[in-house]
Amino acid sequence: MDLSMPKNLQELMHSRIALVTGTALMTTAVLCAYHVMVNSDGQTLLLTAMTNLMGR
């Protein structure tokens, strides 16, 4: 496993640093989007969907 620092931008974009950073950013974005998913009534969409599936 090569642990040396990338020498240019192209090497950086194909390195483990970019993979780990990109994965962390995408995970953060998904968690933030999940946290703010609400419908027009102010209810969380996941809770509303589960309630509808269970038939109230």
Side-chain angles (χ1 to χ4, degrees), residues 12-13 15-30:
L12 175 64
M13 294 309 294
S15 68
R16 288 181 186 248
I17 296 169
L19 177 65
V20 170
T21 304
T23 303
L25 289 173
M26 289 300 294
T27 303
T28 303
V30 167

Side-chain angles (χ1 to χ4, degrees), residues 23-41:
T23 303
L25 289 173
M26 289 300 294
T27 303
T28 303
V30 167
L31 290 174
C32 288
Y34 173 76
H35 181 69
V36 298
M37 280 194 314
V38 292
N39 61 14
S40 59
D41 296 331

